[in-house]
Amino acid sequence: MEVREFVERFIERMQMLRHLLPILPDEQLCVRFESDGEAASVLLGKEPAIVECENDERNTLTVRGSKEALASLLSGELKLQQLVRLQEVHVSGSFRHLLLLESLLHLAKPYRHVG
């Protein structure tokens, strides 16, 4: 599966979860996921969308890692900080944007029913 497909699934989950609206920024944040020559960018805001973002470093957060690491991040298996500590991903951008992304990833994580 490509990085773009994982990002699309994450966006679909975010759009269904209306409780995320209060923490989404008014000014859109570009998050770029990069892996092995592939890249997918998403604008996080009141209406998240997959697009090509301008290279504005103030509003851009870049997450680089292996395809497997990004898959586990976007599917909710591992947290962003765990992957950073394991040196599976590298994040560049502001710490504030990193915290926002980590919050959104955690809150949009698919629930697994134990039964």
Side-chain angles (χ1 to χ4, degrees):
M1 194 178 288
E2 294 183 16
V3 173
R4 185 177 184 86
E5 293 174 50
F6 292 117
V7 173
E8 286 171 355
R9 287 185 180 175
F10 170 64
I11 294 298
E12 288 170 7
R13 283 197 314 271
M14 279 186 56
Q15 289 173 335
M16 289 189 308
L17 302 170
R18 298 326 256 164
H19 66 276
L20 295 179
L21 279 176
I23 67 168
L24 289 172
D26 291 327
E27 185 176 318
Q28 293 195 323
L29 166 67
C30 177
V31 180
R32 183 170 172 83
F33 296 94
E34 298 178 351
S35 171
D36 305 324
E38 289 183 59
S41 299
V42 60
L43 279 179
L44 293 179
K46 300 297 181 191
E47 285 298 319
I50 295 178
V51 294
E52 272 306 312
C53 301
E54 298 174 11
N55 236 359
D56 181 8
E57 290 187 18
R58 291 172 295 152
N59 289 329
T60 302
L61 186 68
T62 305
V63 182
R64 289 182 193 91
S66 68
K67 196 178 293 189
E68 294 79 18
L70 294 180
S72 64
L73 173 68
L74 292 168
S75 66
E77 293 172 21
L78 290 173
K79 296 177 183 174
L80 182 57
Q81 288 297 324
Q82 286 175 313
L83 290 167
V84 169
R85 265 187 252 118
L86 293 170
Q87 297 181 351
E88 293 289 325
V89 297
H90 174 75
V91 181
S92 58
S94 78
F95 188 66
R96 183 178 190 166
H97 291 150
L98 180 139
L99 292 176
L100 173 64
L101 176 62
E102 182 145 43
S103 298
L104 292 172
L105 288 165
H106 181 71
L107 293 170
K109 180 168 57 172
Y111 292 102
R112 299 189 194 333
H113 297 288
V114 178

